[in-house]
Amino acid sequence: MTPPPVPIVDLADLGFEEGAHLLVRRALKHLPPGAELGVTGGDQALPDQLRTWCRKLGHHVRLPDDGDANVRAWVVRGSADLDRWTQAQRAGGATPDGIVPRADPSWGLAARGALVEPGGPVPPFDLIDRDLVWADIAPGLYTSAVAAQWNPDVVIQWDAEFTLPDEIERAVVQVMTYLVENKQAALVVLARLLGRIHPHFREVQQLLAVQIADEARHLEVFSRRALLKGGVLGTSSVSGRESLGTLLAEPDFSLASFLLSVLGEGSFLNLLSFLDRHAPDPVTRQVTRLTRQDEARHVAFGVAHLQHQAAVDPALRGRLRTVVERRHEALAGTGGMNEDVFEALVTLAAGEWTPAAIGRGHEKVRLLQREMYEGRRHRLIRLGFPANEAAELSSLHTRNLM
Ligand SMILES: [Fe+2]
């Protein structure tokens, strides 16, 4: 049997600083340790550069014998692995869809499914368990959230002609002032949570990122509506800021998203519907209608994520209960919703300054509060709370709504 021909790689005039090592490495790839590879080429520095490269990778270089024709050097393949990635592990499964129950912090920012070279910095992502952040609807919700993004300049008719009585305009501005403040809280809470999620769960990151963009847009449109007629903003109460302060102070991801999305934004869905119904002008109506569509997604993710977690962690409901009770106690001595906001809602629902109209407006705001209570109760039941407990917890929710 004739031995297989000795492999030769021809580098032509390509130098090592021009990529010649790629050809050498490729030619060595299928040779066993101890086998020789002839290297030919015209670059003056070839033998020196080849020696340096081989030393680094554990191969040896042998100078050619007289009869070796054009061969400039022989590379004796070392036993070290040519592939520095053999020791590396993948960040999760081998496919980008391979989501694992617990992400390794040492994967850092590596793409899911990438081969991760061992070593390097370990970023401080502390939400590394899938069940703490995940919901199966997250990828689909992200896709629809992206498709549903809207441009305030395009979709809202800011130049629609209308003039409101001063007191009605002031009521709108007061409500917008309150909405801006609450949206600020939502944006900050989400941004903080987002920065803690391990990149392995990137669909949740993406969804929260779009949610943050939603909140940014809401801040814009509520502010623009408030200032549309050249007025000054309304009031911000201590009690409102105290309520939002307890939300911002909640470090637990699930508890924070429960307070924010399930209870807070859930209540806002009713508020925005109310404002849509009683909007005294087309801009206010458009602004509240569009923001409500986004908020419905935010609530959907919050509920789905907590449903997922409650299914795998029966103790979760106890913790959700505790956080509502604790917050209720912390806010017990505070004034609840800003009175100016409450009165603005009554004014908008009344529409005119007669005793009968104000009475009706007041009743409608009471009805709104009842709807909010019912909405929260239903969502709590969806999280698995018994009916009586859901009713109790719904009634303990902050009167600031968020
Ligand atoms: Fe939101």
Side-chain angles (χ1 to χ4, degrees), residues 183 186 190 211 215 218 265 294-295 298:
K183 290 278 139 189
L190 290 168
Q211 204 162 316
E215 304 296 1
H218 298 181
E265 292 177 313
D294 296 334
E295 287 304 318
H298 304 178

Side-chain angles (χ1 to χ4, degrees), residues 123-129 132 193 195-198 251:
F125 299 113
D126 65 323
L127 297 170
I128 59 171
D129 288 299
L132 284 184
L193 294 179
R196 294 173 47 201
I197 297 175
H198 193 292

Side-chain angles (χ1 to χ4, degrees), residues 15-29:
F16 263 65
E17 70 285 1
E18 296 167 314
H21 69 286
L22 296 176
L23 294 171
V24 178
R25 191 176 66 199
R26 181 165 179 266
L28 281 171
K29 204 166 182 175

